[in-house]
Amino acid sequence: MKPWLCLVFFTSAFLIWHAEAEFFTSIGQMTDLIYAEKDLVQSLKEYIRAEETKLSQIKSWAEKMDVLTSKSTSDPEGYLAHPVNAYKLVKRLNTDWLELENLVLQDTTNGFITNLTIQRQFFPTEEDETGAAKALMRLQDTYKLDPETLSRGNLPGTKYRSSLTVSDCFGMGKTAYNDGDYYHTVLWMEQALKQHDEGEDTTVSKVEILDYLSYAVFQFGDLHRAMELTRRLISLDSTHERAGSNLRYFEKLLEKEREKPSNKTVATTEPVVQSGAYERPLDYLPERDIYEALCRGEGVKMTPQRQKRLFCRYHDGNRNPHLLIAPFKEEDEWDSPHIVRYYDVMSDEEIEKIKQLAKPKLARATVRDPKTGVLTVASYRVSKSSWLEEDDDPVVAKVNQRMQQITGLTVKTAELLQVANYGMGGQYEPHFDFSRKDEPDAFKRLGTGNRVATFLNYVPSRRTPEW
């Protein structure tokens, strides 16, 4: 079977509109929400102006009638002795007050409500909000950011600062709680409680926060602190049934622990704490620490001896006729496995054309389930992608041919050109791009052999700072 080349094009955010969920998986689609919200604000301002105009007319009428009635009630008979006053009184009560009634009942909300109803079908869903919250937590873990830093918006390299309210922090904690993630539940409920204690105005009560926090702390085995938090909750709301029940349960557990031998008590009552916070639980990914270190730019340090084997050069594709006059700049990034970087492979015009072609085709990126072999979405791959054929536009064929000239591999047995756009906290966790022994038929449908190389064209965003 013939070896083949996987062609992938990673691009920055670009505009696209889809009436579907999973906005959080593509910054390109999330930018559309910015413009949708701007449109709603304009519509809301128009409604406010209409209401202000109406209220101004009503206020003017009220002031005029206040002056008139003050005069008429001071001497009713003398006032009505003037026939014009008598006529106008009758007219006002029969006609003018009816017109005022119609003005008061006038509905100025139609335009705004209609626009809101139309836009709502394109709004993010509960799934998007959950995905966005998990993305923030993923960034928090990867870059070792504490909740205070995220909540205050003190993020390095960002242009626009934005902070999280008590309600926002509480929502983050609830998302983690509903996912059975008590580590992040504790972190975000503590931050919500901290901001609440500092006097921030909010509709979320301390009772609600303490309810989640005390139970999450209990899940870490910190019985003493769970009791402390529960008692604080009961001091705020003595009728809270669940808190009362939990406290009695905690007290029974503590009594049982006291009855145990002292050498076992320490092991069962003291959770693992690091730097004042509970230790982050291990997950399914053995390479998690290394993976996140790479994201932070720390990575695996190369020895000076290995660094001496890395060079920069001009690459002509083994004297490919197309590259003899204009070879590409090539730089060694890593020695084993050998990773090289090529500069200025695509022009700005080609990049924009590729992005334009990909816009209507973006869909949630999938992975192959190793058990069923079926393509499905996964939390460890957060992005949207589309696939471009050479028939879509000459630029696709041109880019494919250029990658073939650089690598010396044929594109006849390659996949289509893939355009990927990452969303909030977008990621694709460590994985193999080629099929292994336990998935021999992964590329059977293509009628080709296994993958031998992946060519990545990466275009960082010019407007959005990167982590």
Side-chain angles (χ1 to χ4, degrees):
M1 292 195 295
K2 298 178 181 178
W4 54 288
L5 175 66
C6 172
L7 307 179
V8 185
F9 177 82
F10 286 85
T11 182
S12 59
F14 47 84
L15 296 178
I16 178 168
W17 189 261
H18 273 302
E20 60 183 53
E22 299 184 338
F23 281 99
F24 72 95
T25 63
S26 169
I27 291 296
Q29 289 189 341
M30 288 190 70
T31 55
D32 289 319
L33 298 179
I34 295 290
Y35 295 103
E37 189 171 45
K38 175 67 174 177
D39 182 63
L40 285 175
V41 169
Q42 293 301 320
S43 182
L44 179 61
K45 289 170 70 176
E46 289 174 7
Y47 159 68
I48 292 172
R49 282 194 292 269
E51 281 289 327
E52 287 176 339
T53 300
K54 185 175 82 171
L55 286 173
S56 178
Q57 291 174 330
I58 295 171
K59 183 180 178 181
S60 176
W61 168 265
E63 290 173 347
K64 183 175 70 174
M65 295 308 299
D66 185 45
V67 172
L68 190 150
T69 53
S70 294
K71 183 188 299 182
S72 64
T73 55
S74 63
D75 181 13
E77 292 183 358
Y79 179 82
L80 291 174
H82 197 301
V84 173
N85 285 341
Y87 163 75
K88 293 189 71 172
L89 174 63
V90 172
K91 178 178 178 296
R92 279 198 306 274
L93 293 174
N94 182 62
T95 303
D96 295 354
W97 279 98
L98 179 61
E99 291 178 354
L100 179 70
E101 179 185 7
N102 291 334
L103 176 62
V104 171
L105 294 175
Q106 191 178 86
D107 187 2
T108 60
T109 65
N110 285 340
F112 172 67
I113 295 300
T114 299
N115 190 22
L116 183 61
T117 303
I118 293 172
Q119 298 278 19
R120 187 177 286 118
Q121 62 184 311
F122 302 114
F123 278 9
T125 63
E126 188 72 27
E127 179 186 0
D128 283 299
E129 185 173 344
T130 298
K134 289 182 178 180
L136 269 184
M137 295 176 209
R138 189 159 54 247
L139 292 172
Q140 172 186 359
D141 294 339
T142 301
Y143 297 100
K144 296 184 176 180
L145 303 171
D146 57 67
E148 177 79 10
T149 298
L150 272 175
S151 180
R152 302 306 180 195
N154 297 323
L155 304 181
T158 52
K159 182 179 179 181
Y160 302 101
R161 181 172 175 174
S162 183
S163 58
L164 296 174
T165 64
V166 170
S167 179
D168 295 330
C169 296
F170 181 69
M172 293 281 290
K174 280 183 65 177
T175 296
Y177 180 88
N178 293 334
D179 203 40
D181 177 5
Y182 300 114
Y183 170 72
H184 287 105
T185 302
V186 171
L187 290 177
W188 285 103
M189 288 301 174
E190 285 181 334
Q191 182 62 31
L193 186 61
K194 179 178 181 293
Q195 292 179 207
H196 207 308
D197 287 341
E198 290 172 351
E200 183 179 314
D201 188 30
T202 180
T203 57
V204 179
S205 69
K206 288 185 182 181
V207 169
E208 292 176 283
I209 300 172
L210 289 165
D211 193 16
Y212 282 95
L213 180 56
S214 59
Y215 184 79
V217 165
F218 168 69
Q219 290 297 315
F220 272 94
D222 196 344
L223 194 53
H224 290 282
R225 183 151 183 257
M227 291 176 63
E228 175 191 335
L229 292 167
T230 305
R231 287 194 180 105
R232 183 179 175 186
L233 190 163
I234 293 174
S235 71
L236 296 171
D237 183 2
S238 59
T239 64
H240 201 288
E241 293 184 11
R242 183 168 55 253
S245 176
N246 286 346
L247 184 59
R248 291 189 292 273
Y249 177 65
F250 295 158
E251 288 172 341
K252 287 180 182 179
L253 288 179
L254 188 61
E255 187 63 31
K256 288 181 180 180
E257 286 193 354
R258 286 170 178 165
E259 295 172 357
K260 294 178 182 179
S262 59
N263 62 329
K264 292 184 179 180
T265 303
V266 175
T268 57
T269 60
E270 293 186 4
V272 179
V273 178
Q274 290 185 339
S275 304
Y278 299 114
E279 184 178 27
R280 180 180 167 194
L282 298 176
D283 67 3
Y284 57 86
L285 188 65
E287 309 91 349
R288 175 70 62 189
D289 290 342
I290 297 175
Y291 167 58
E292 292 181 350
L294 285 168
C295 292
R296 291 192 298 270
E298 298 167 8
V300 181
K301 303 303 179 184
M302 187 175 286
T303 63
Q305 185 177 3
R306 290 176 63 187
Q307 286 180 335
K308 290 180 180 178
R309 295 199 290 264
L310 305 181
F311 297 95
C312 297
R313 66 188 71 82
Y314 282 104
H315 177 74
D316 61 12
N318 293 323
R319 297 193 63 76
N320 185 301
H322 296 279
L323 304 183
L324 286 176
I325 298 177
F328 285 102
K329 291 175 283 187
E330 181 185 74
E331 179 182 358
D332 292 325
E333 291 284 347
W334 203 255
D335 56 349
S336 181
H338 192 205
I339 302 173
V340 296
R341 181 199 299 249
Y342 297 99
Y343 292 87
D344 304 324
V345 173
M346 299 176 65
S347 68
D348 290 343
E349 292 75 17
E350 289 171 331
I351 290 170
E352 291 306 313
K353 186 63 179 180
I354 291 289
K355 287 158 63 174
Q356 179 187 344
L357 294 169
K359 286 181 184 180
K361 300 182 180 183
L362 276 183
R364 177 72 185 268
T366 57
V367 297
R368 190 173 297 280
D369 189 317
K371 296 181 180 179
T372 64
V374 177
L375 291 175
T376 183
V377 298
S379 60
Y380 56 83
R381 187 179 189 184
V382 182
S383 66
K384 289 193 175 183
S385 59
S386 60
W387 301 83
L388 302 182
E389 301 185 49
E390 293 192 352
D391 291 340
D392 290 335
D393 192 272
V395 72
V396 179
K398 194 174 181 181
V399 170
N400 285 346
Q401 184 184 45
R402 194 170 300 144
M403 287 187 280
Q404 177 175 279
Q405 293 166 354
I406 291 173
T407 62
L409 299 171
T410 177
V411 294
K412 291 180 179 179
T413 51
E415 288 180 273
L416 300 178
L417 186 68
Q418 182 184 171
V419 183
N421 178 238
Y422 284 87
M424 276 192 66
Q427 65 163 356
Y428 195 170
E429 289 180 354
H431 62 283
F432 294 95
D433 251 12
F434 58 89
S435 63
R436 291 168 288 168
K437 292 180 180 179
D438 58 346
E439 46 183 9
D441 297 327
F443 305 113
K444 185 177 180 180
R445 61 186 177 83
L446 296 175
T448 62
N450 204 349
R451 287 174 173 168
V452 296
T454 300
F455 196 111
L456 296 163
N457 290 291
Y458 178 61
V459 184
S461 172
R462 296 173 181 174
R463 292 172 294 183
T464 307
E466 295 179 291
W467 286 89

